Amino acid sequence: MSAKTLLKVSGLKVAYGGIQAVKGVDFEVREGELVSLIGSNGAGKTTTMKAITGTLPPLAGDIEFLGKSIKGRGAWDLVSEGLVMVPEGRGVFTRMTITENLQIGAFIRNDKDGIAQDIERVFTTFPRLKERATQLAGTMSGGEQQMLAMGRALMARPKVLLLDEPSMGLSPIMVDKIFEVVQEVYKQGVTILLVEQNASRALQLADRGYVMESGLITMTGEAKVMLSDPKVRAAYLGE
């Protein structure tokens, strides 16, 4: 029996700053999958993510989450249903401590004991955050802030976690660490949609992949097959 579809995007069109950035895309994410959406800068990946999470209104098409249309719903609303995004640029609360940032991730919950347990779980996944639990988030490195943004998203207990360019702007060592963490979170049973310019790393982790070019999905398939596809290798893996 195939896994149930948690997130389904159909015929999605989105305009951004007067330009149609997404021109009618279809894709889906099934329960327990890690799906990668790859493509060069300006392909429309982040615009697609913003439309899914309700921060940009679609021009046309539909977005379904857990079998219901969520088009036009606000981001705050969707978090409580289990659709949670770690945005490009991280967006941590710089004047709050690491622990306070994690507590804010659980703002939709009121199970005090569960929240405390989940903070400990985040600290186990990200030991570096535990060492610095009382440090202000704004004083951390970019990689540490990325870990914090991911930990904060996990505090909402997502059914689908959307990651937008988690490796962007990080040192090679930190990129390795972030991809290890993505894999760890996936192994814990979290369904993930990963948008990433680092196509090679994204496809190595994923079950399935979609290639986006100029606002359209131009290729889809099993990630392992795509990794060895000459067209993908030429366009995105620098070969």
Side-chain angles (χ1 to χ4, degrees):
M1 198 172 82
S2 62
K4 102 178 158 191
T5 298
L6 298 186
L7 178 67
K8 185 175 185 179
V9 172
S10 317
L12 182 68
K13 295 182 182 178
V14 194
Y16 198 58
I19 296 160
Q20 196 171 319
V22 179
K23 301 169 182 169
V25 301
D26 304 273
F27 63 88
E28 62 177 28
V29 181
R30 299 190 281 262
E31 192 169 24
E33 278 192 317
L34 196 165
V35 173
S36 287
L37 180 60
I38 63 169
S40 54
N41 203 6
K45 305 184 306 296
T46 292
T47 304
T48 299
M49 291 290 246
K50 286 181 172 174
I52 290 171
T53 51
T55 52
L56 260 186
L59 283 177
D62 200 11
I63 303 153
E64 289 176 39
F65 180 58
L66 308 180
K68 292 188 308 223
S69 176
I70 55 168
K71 197 167 82 166
R73 300 269 300 278
W76 59 91
D77 214 8
L78 298 174
V79 169
S80 60
E81 293 201 9
L83 188 65
V84 182
M85 178 154 90
V86 179
E88 182 187 336
R90 303 178 269 281
V92 298
F93 298 102
T94 54
R95 296 184 181 186
M96 292 182 172
T97 66
I98 286 171
T99 302
E100 286 166 344
N101 267 271
L102 294 176
Q103 287 166 338
I104 280 191
F107 79 99
I108 54 164
R109 298 168 53 187
N110 52 20
D111 56 323
K112 242 181 175 168
D113 292 348
I115 290 168
Q117 284 167 7
D118 282 357
I119 287 176
E120 275 315 308
R121 190 175 296 144
V122 169
F123 283 156
T124 304
T125 307
F126 305 92
R128 197 177 292 219
L129 297 184
K130 184 163 192 170
E131 292 161 19
R132 303 175 184 200
T134 57
Q135 189 174 323
L136 292 182
T139 62
M140 299 161 72
S141 73
E144 290 160 350
Q145 288 188 13
Q146 184 65 51
M147 290 179 194
L148 178 56
M150 288 169 69
R152 184 182 61 192
L154 291 172
M155 290 299 300
R157 292 193 172 168
K159 293 185 176 80
V160 176
L161 180 64
L162 308 174
L163 298 175
D164 192 6
E165 303 284 8
S167 75
M168 187 180 272
L170 302 183
S171 69
I173 289 175
M174 239 344 152
V175 169
D176 287 345
K177 180 66 194 159
I178 289 299
F179 279 112
E180 273 173 36
V181 166
V182 172
Q183 190 162 26
E184 172 65 26
V185 169
Y186 170 55
K187 280 183 180 161
Q188 290 171 10
V190 180
T191 302
I192 297 174
L193 174 60
L194 170 65
V195 160
E196 183 53 69
Q197 269 186 351
N198 190 332
S200 169
R201 298 299 293 268
L203 289 173
Q204 282 167 23
L205 283 184
D207 298 301
R208 291 187 304 112
Y210 292 89
V211 175
M212 195 166 193
E213 291 176 52
S214 308
L216 293 165
I217 301 282
T218 56
M219 187 185 291
T220 177
E222 280 184 39
K224 305 289 176 283
V225 175
M226 291 174 76
L227 256 180
S228 55
D229 186 291
K231 280 190 295 201
V232 173
R233 298 192 76 85
Y236 300 106
L237 310 185
E239 292 182 5

